[in-house]
Amino acid sequence: MKPIHHLSAIELRDAFFRGELSAVQIAESFLARMKIHDPKIGAFLSTLGPRALMKAEILDKKRAHNQPLGKMAAIPVAIKDNMHIAGELTTCGSNFLKNYKAPFNATAVHLMEEEDALLIGKTNLDEFAMGSSNENSAFFPVNNPWDLKCVPGGSSGGSSAAVAARMALIATGSDTGGSIRQPASFCGVVGYKPTYGRVSRYGLVSFGSSLDQIGPFAATVADAALTMEVIGRHCEHDATSLDLPQEAYPLSPKLETDATFGVPWHFLENLSPEIRANFEHSIEVMKSLGAKIVEIDLDVLKYSIAVYYILATAEASTNLARFDGIRYGLRSQNAKTLEEIYEQSRKEGFGREVKKRIMLGTYVLSAGYQDAFYKKAQKVRTLIIDAFDNAFNKCDAVMMPVTTSGAFEHGAFQDPLQMYLQDIFTVPANLAGLPGISVPSGFDSRGMPLGVQFLGPQMCDVSLMQYAYAYEQASKHTRIPRHYE
Ligand code: GLN
């Protein structure tokens, strides 16, 4: 048999079902990998060793007694540290919450535990999920397992690095403007952002509530699909949760005969030669499967960065108002009056990027500027939604690169605006609430992974996953970085 960490999550679970591996053996093996590799990578903010081992023992007993086992039985799962596991820390990568223990389970966490997943750790992130490189974590940065000099992407960089180095086989992320798809692409793993509302946000610390979605990182599309089967479920605790039945994700390596993919060539005109060549290769793969490729007009997406950084900061500024030094987390010890508690706690608790975004968001919402910025951005958001609606009259899914380059080196962006501009291919899906998936599509000239992105109409999660699966099976770019094989 292959080494345990070379198995996909589904293969590992099936080996456990067949009695070839015990759950304790699986938990010990992944906890050991974390111990060996994570000091260099920095993917985890906390490990849940005793919890995982206790659950593993229960699973082994259940199996010994032929009791029913869940769909995610014995699969090692890492949780981004902005999602609650009751009784464990939820730091959000922030000093503000460094001692904050979650009072309840996030719905996604609860659903996976119910299906017998082994929760093995909480992953590092940009503070409050604000960033594209993980350099904004208040604790330590994450290094990319493909090259430790490079960033893993952000904000869910701990989750993508954990799966890339096979310290976990599934990890959760939250995607507000690309934080699942971009790090997945930078780390050579699959990242799935569901239709807005498909996965409950209950127990996810909010960043931009109209944009946030929880989704999985996995080594394979099938593993991501399995996770979606479990977490894609209506939840009464989230008012934006879609009231739809849970869906199965049947996957086939073949495409339906008339599957059509739209490419917004004009919008993509400034691609670097390397990204263009890689993307064109992905299009050839789809053609070889019988796909029809059509050109679509998504020129209005050029405004998406501006729109996103107005709306996301506006929403963040109201969401983060709850961190006042009284209700959650840190309270400054230097403060004497109520006013000082608010001021000092925020000053001490929040990092630079978070403060900047709160100020920007407050500014665009302030009386004199609301019409000029916030309301205008909402209008352009509607134009972006309309442009996608038109595009989906011509095609079943849109194909685009995920990023403008492979993973960059730590410290490469001194100008934050330049870093924001890198999100151009990921933020549109959040603005329009669309499902999107990043699938490994090869490597750049430095040997860093690249990804291709498929975007579908709202609620078409199942067919989108199917396209990505067909692409993955025909292209086979998924690898484990040499050092972690
Ligand atoms: N990089 C984007 C930002 O900094 C997206 C973050 C996210 O999706 N959480 O806001």
Side-chain angles (χ1 to χ4, degrees):
M1 204 168 80
K2 295 191 239 175
I4 292 189
H5 63 279
H6 282 227
L7 300 174
S8 73
I10 291 175
E11 287 168 342
L12 180 94
R13 176 200 65 185
D14 292 348
F16 166 67
F17 282 162
R18 288 193 301 268
E20 292 160 17
L21 292 170
S22 76
V24 167
Q25 204 180 347
I26 293 169
E28 281 174 348
S29 150
F30 282 89
L31 291 167
R33 286 184 69 75
M34 282 160 77
K35 218 177 191 159
I36 297 168
H37 297 304
D38 206 44
K40 284 212 179 101
I41 297 177
F44 287 92
L45 290 177
S46 51
T47 48
L48 304 172
R51 184 187 182 105
L53 287 168
M54 210 161 81
K55 175 89 179 189
E57 278 169 23
I58 295 173
L59 293 183
D60 285 336
K61 280 202 192 110
K62 271 192 176 177
R63 192 186 55 184
H65 293 105
N66 285 324
Q67 284 168 358
L69 290 157
K71 278 185 192 168
M72 295 185 82
I75 298 176
V77 176
I79 304 292
K80 185 176 180 179
D81 207 17
N82 61 353
M83 293 166 207
H84 292 337
I85 303 179
E88 308 290 350
L89 292 173
T90 302
T91 69
C92 291
S94 178
N95 275 322
F96 215 114
L97 295 179
K98 70 174 177 223
N99 297 318
Y100 178 74
K101 280 210 173 131
F104 61 92
N105 275 323
T107 299
V109 167
H110 162 74
L111 290 170
M112 288 192 288
E113 267 211 315
E114 223 176 40
E115 293 293 344
D116 289 335
L118 294 177
L119 305 185
I120 59 164
K122 305 277 315 263
T123 57
N124 204 348
L125 68 159
D126 284 306
E127 187 174 0
F128 287 102
M130 296 175 184
S132 309
S133 66
N134 238 286
E135 293 164 302
N136 297 338
S137 165
F139 306 119
F140 43 86
V142 182
N143 301 318
N144 191 314
W146 290 90
D147 180 349
L148 300 175
K149 285 196 302 299
C150 291
V151 305
S155 62
S156 319
S159 288
S160 63
V163 175
R166 303 299 191 269
M167 296 184 283
L169 293 187
I170 303 279
T172 58
S174 60
D175 191 314
T176 305
S179 281
I180 294 175
R181 291 159 291 148
Q182 183 252 26
S185 173
F186 277 9
C187 290
V189 298
V190 174
Y192 189 69
K193 177 221 171 274
T195 297
Y196 181 76
R198 180 72 272 198
V199 176
S200 169
R201 294 181 293 111
Y202 183 65
L204 165 71
V205 178
S206 300
F207 164 10
S209 308
S210 78
L211 305 155
D212 299 338
Q213 259 301 280
I214 292 176
F217 289 91
T220 68
V221 173
D223 288 351
L226 167 73
T227 313
M228 282 305 297
E229 276 185 27
V230 172
I231 65 175
R233 187 163 173 180
H234 175 64
C235 165
E236 60 181 18
H237 300 300
D238 172 0
T240 58
S241 163
L242 291 167
D243 194 356
L244 294 171
Q246 250 172 310
E247 289 175 299
Y249 284 75
L251 300 173
S252 148
K254 293 208 185 80
L255 284 181
E256 329 123 46
T257 35
D258 52 355
T260 307
F261 296 84
V263 180
W265 276 121
H266 190 252
F267 169 62
L268 298 175
E269 67 186 352
N270 293 326
L271 289 184
S272 75
E274 197 164 44
I275 296 290
R276 176 177 293 269
N278 181 270
F279 179 56
E280 281 172 353
H281 179 72
S282 294
I283 293 178
E284 290 309 314
V285 170
M286 293 312 277
K287 279 189 186 159
S288 74
L289 289 167
K292 217 172 110 196
I293 307 290
V294 295
E295 175 149 10
I296 48 170
D297 173 9
L298 288 176
D299 282 358
V300 70
L301 299 192
K302 65 175 179 250
Y303 301 115
S304 46
I305 293 289
V307 170
Y308 170 81
Y309 279 94
I310 291 172
L311 298 181
T313 55
E315 294 184 20
S317 74
T318 61
N319 275 325
L320 270 59
R322 73 190 58 155
F323 300 105
D324 54 8
I326 301 208
R327 287 174 289 186
Y328 306 95
L330 184 121
R331 175 175 300 182
S332 171
Q333 297 306 307
N334 306 320
K336 290 184 194 68
T337 65
L338 183 62
E339 197 71 25
E340 279 174 16
I341 290 178
Y342 293 152
E343 229 183 272
Q344 287 297 330
S345 304
R346 286 169 175 161
K347 207 164 162 184
E348 292 163 27
F350 289 139
R352 215 178 134 76
E353 181 67 22
V354 173
K355 285 180 187 153
K356 193 165 67 193
R357 294 199 190 202
I358 292 172
M359 279 160 64
L360 190 60
T362 307
Y363 177 79
V364 300
L365 286 174
S366 58
Y369 297 99
Q370 204 177 81
D371 287 354
F373 295 111
Y374 182 75
K375 287 205 179 132
K376 194 177 234 166
Q378 289 289 24
K379 286 180 186 160
V380 182
R381 183 179 194 173
T382 304
L383 294 180
I384 289 170
I385 294 169
D386 291 346
F388 273 115
D389 279 348
N390 285 334
F392 289 128
N393 286 328
K394 286 203 196 160
C395 62
D396 300 301
V398 172
M399 280 179 77
M400 285 205 254
V402 186
T403 54
T404 55
S405 71
F408 44 86
E409 292 191 6
H410 290 280
F413 289 97
Q414 295 306 328
D415 174 1
L417 275 181
Q418 288 306 318
M419 176 111 75
Y420 292 176
L421 289 173
Q422 308 303 309
D423 294 336
I424 181 75
F425 300 138
T426 52
V427 297
N430 302 78
L431 292 170
L434 309 177
I437 185 164
S438 169
V439 191
S441 67
F443 297 85
D444 69 11
S445 54
R446 302 166 302 157
M448 295 305 285
L450 298 173
V452 64
Q453 184 176 212
F454 296 88
L455 301 175
Q458 285 195 355
M459 261 87 86
C460 291
D461 296 74
V462 172
S463 44
L464 194 68
M465 199 72 86
Q466 157 59 27
Y467 303 141
Y469 181 74
Y471 172 82
E472 176 197 49
Q473 295 306 304
S475 62
K476 295 247 186 275
H477 289 300
T478 305
R479 306 216 199 311
I480 304 179
R482 199 160 42 91
H483 199 66
Y484 306 96
E485 273 178 356

